[in-house]
Amino acid sequence: MHTLAVDRARMYDCFGDVDRVPELLGRVDRGDDAEAWEELGRRLLLECEMVFPASFAALPRLVRLASHSARARTLAGLIVMCVPSPHGCDDLLPGCADAIRAFREILDRHLRSRPDDYLASFRFLLATEQQYHWSAVLGASRTTSTRSPARTAPST
């Protein structure tokens, strides 16, 4: 029992809180609560590049929601893409292995439907296969290609 309390105290989000993420996960479990999803994203990811212990603790629940929720798929995917970043949570990763494997299967089924979010989902799939570099490169090339015309436009 004491160990559980210590572990729960370590599951802080980007604001240092330990109780808010479980509450928000409960809200999104009960229905599509846009406000809860937005706050959850802010608490679990900082600048879409940094994750926290609460991010990894939330991953299994997000994966359970991912088969029928684009928001859960996106949030889980962004968390998985951050695995190689320096987050100080390496000891939590082995506990996420089953969730990451399940997420890969969900993404594989999702991609077979040729979804509108194909590129993002493919990047998440690459991350579940530990192909973090390619996952990042695909995102960077998309960003670069959408910005290119503005940079090369003639000045008036």
Side-chain angles (χ1 to χ4, degrees):
M1 186 172 205
H2 181 66
T3 306
L4 180 62
V6 171
D7 287 345
R8 183 170 167 86
R10 287 187 56 223
M11 298 304 156
Y12 61 88
D13 62 26
C14 83
F15 297 111
D17 296 331
V18 295
D19 294 324
R20 190 69 180 142
V21 168
E23 178 186 326
L24 292 167
L25 285 168
R27 284 175 53 187
V28 299
D29 264 341
R30 291 187 293 277
D32 193 29
D33 182 334
E35 187 177 297
W37 278 115
E38 287 178 33
E39 185 176 349
L40 200 53
R42 286 192 306 270
R43 288 182 172 276
L44 297 179
L45 290 157
L46 182 63
E47 302 286 327
C48 289
E49 294 179 7
M50 187 172 182
V51 290
F52 300 87
S55 309
F56 294 114
L59 192 59
R61 282 181 79 179
L62 291 171
V63 168
R64 281 194 297 274
L65 295 169
S67 63
H68 61 274
S69 169
R71 291 177 191 217
R73 222 175 12 259
T74 299
L75 195 48
L78 291 171
I79 290 168
V80 172
M81 286 176 60
C82 288
V83 165
S85 66
H87 44 65
C89 305
D90 290 339
D91 58 324
L92 300 175
L93 289 175
C96 293
D98 290 339
I100 292 171
R101 272 191 296 277
F103 187 47
R104 191 215 176 283
E105 292 171 14
I106 289 167
L107 289 167
D108 189 46
R109 282 191 305 273
H110 179 66
L111 286 166
R112 289 178 192 191
S113 71
R114 298 182 183 205
D116 289 339
D117 67 340
Y118 191 92
L119 180 60
S121 294
F122 184 64
R123 291 177 63 214
F124 301 154
L125 181 73
L126 287 171
T128 66
E129 294 289 334
Q130 298 180 354
Q131 298 295 323
Y132 306 111
H133 173 76
W134 291 114
S135 179
V137 166
L138 282 174
S141 66
R142 171 111 172 136
T143 303
T144 303
S145 67
T146 58
R147 291 185 186 167
S148 297
R151 278 192 248 154
T152 58
S155 56
T156 54

